[in-house]
Amino acid sequence: MDEEKHQLVGKQNGVRNKLTVDEVVEEYVGSFGFSQLVQVTLVSIARIFDSHCTLVTIFTDAQPQSWRCIGHGCSGEAAASVCGLKPGTWEWSGGNTSSTIAEWGLVCDRRFLAALPTSVYFLGSLIGSAVFGRLADGCLGRKRAVLASCLLTAATIFLTSFSPNIWVYSLLRFANGFSRAGIGICCLVLSTETIGRKWRGQVGQFGFFFFAAGFLSIPLIAYPTRNCWRTLYRIISILPLLYSIFILMPFVAESPRWLLVRGRSEEALDVLRRYAGMNGRELPPNLCLLKPTSTNETMTSRKGENNASPIERLWNTRWAVRRVTMVMLTGFGIGFVYYGVQLNVENLNFNLYFTVAINAMMEIPAVFIGSVLLAFTNRRMLFSTSAFLTGISCILCMFFSRTGDKRKRGSLPQLMIEATGFMAASTAFDVLYIYCVELFPTNVRNFCVSMLRQSLMLGASISPLLVVFGRSSPSLSFLVFGVLSITSGFLSLWLPETRNSPLYETLEQQEEEEMLGSESLELGKKVQM
């Protein structure tokens, strides 16, 4: 009786009693207002620390530019390379504490050990993506997953500065990678789940501006600490700790979509009311959120799968498995190229700090261009075009790298082409995340984004080996980057388009709605014929 009265009041006021989160956001909160802007900004700040943690090894693990003789045995033809000199007859010009390579002698027959810390870092990110993806979709939630990731990142970065040798250093870099994995995936999902579909692509790109800001700031922090790599680690470890205590914990709200899926509908409504209030609006007092269910749940229960977890249902759903597989194959190539090109800057014949700053500045127009194009172009076309442009640029760089003089690997045209290719790679990398968010429903979205993250990190973990090899054969490294990028562009053509599509809550709901959409499209084509 009370429920009928409640529904009657809703009808008399011209308001539907139960709405989905998408409908509440579009009709009452606002597609993208001041409250969402504040939330997205506060959440996205964490991407700065993600950038610092990932790119710090460009400087801490860089091979020193020069060395000098200090003994009598350092002369003649042997002095052309440190590999032919006896220990104690030479030293690095910047001192032994300028980088890990200088301190632990990772040159000559030990040069491939220099790639180990970065490779295991990305392997740690691969495992961490799976762990944080499941925790964020499950008991922990989006906000607490970001909090745990930031605190662990601060702790592991600080401990890294005390590494006594390459093996402990590599182990701690693995821990760094595991810890920071929750920042990227959870920040992206937390930012986009309260945004209307019109602004979702642009807001998804917003976090990458902060990643670019971190990228641009790392040379500025690294240059004053260029004589001691340990100091650089200690400085960047402080920032995520301060952010967690003074910004994330008191001011960032949990995702109402996650709260609703977990059965906490009143808390979800409270979050939406606060957003509406900050936007100068208010929700109807009799409003309830529609629990994400579908008619397919009846069929599912008949098959005895009603107790299966969302992730188990994902692996039992054919279309979802195909989609996840294609996203991961595409992500492997882009991750290899995006991170590999960044690490490969040391193989260009320019000042390391200058080259990193150039690449960092190219991130900003990449994010801006991606944000603008996402408003009126298809995701699939934008991603594949960016991947093709990256591949072509890398192959062109290969021709400028053909030289027998190792001291003259780079040139100004090569730097310009490399920067253009990196800008395109950055656009493809950013768009792929937005694409993945829109391809899957709420109850497995974080998990699927984490699967994408794992494939990106798997590609990234292999790229440092190619960078080390590129010190002796830079043209081959650019060729591999180009081929993988073009392959990723072709693979993406098998994914469905998601522009202007709603964010579904469950796999069953998405399957049912997409099936109805396909039937309507086919019916429309028959009517036109």
Side-chain angles (χ1 to χ4, degrees), residues 198-227:
K198 177 183 177 182
W199 293 97
R200 195 186 306 139
Q202 292 87 332
V203 169
Q205 291 283 93
F206 194 75
F208 295 109
F209 273 111
F210 285 87
F211 187 90
F215 192 2
L216 188 59
S217 66
I218 195 71
L220 302 177
I221 302 172
Y223 188 76
T225 63
R226 61 190 179 278
N227 293 324

Side-chain angles (χ1 to χ4, degrees), residues 20 351 450 502:
T20 64
N351 179 272
S450 74

Side-chain angles (χ1 to χ4, degrees), residues 294-308 313 508:
S294 75
T295 57
N296 283 350
E297 287 187 345
T298 305
M299 298 173 58
T300 301
S301 62
R302 288 175 185 172
K303 296 178 182 178
E305 296 178 359
N306 56 316
N307 292 324
R313 292 200 293 270
E508 295 80 15

Side-chain angles (χ1 to χ4, degrees), residues 21 48 75 79 81 92 110 139 183 185 196 245 250 252 266 282 293 337 339 385 405 411 424 434 443 453 460:
V21 173
I48 295 175
S75 61
S81 171
W92 297 110
R110 304 185 74 209
C139 61
I183 295 178
I185 54 176
I245 296 172
V252 173
E266 285 302 319
E282 63 179 46
T293 58
V337 175
Y339 288 108
T385 303
D405 189 350
S411 63
I434 309 303
N443 63 344
R453 183 80 164 184

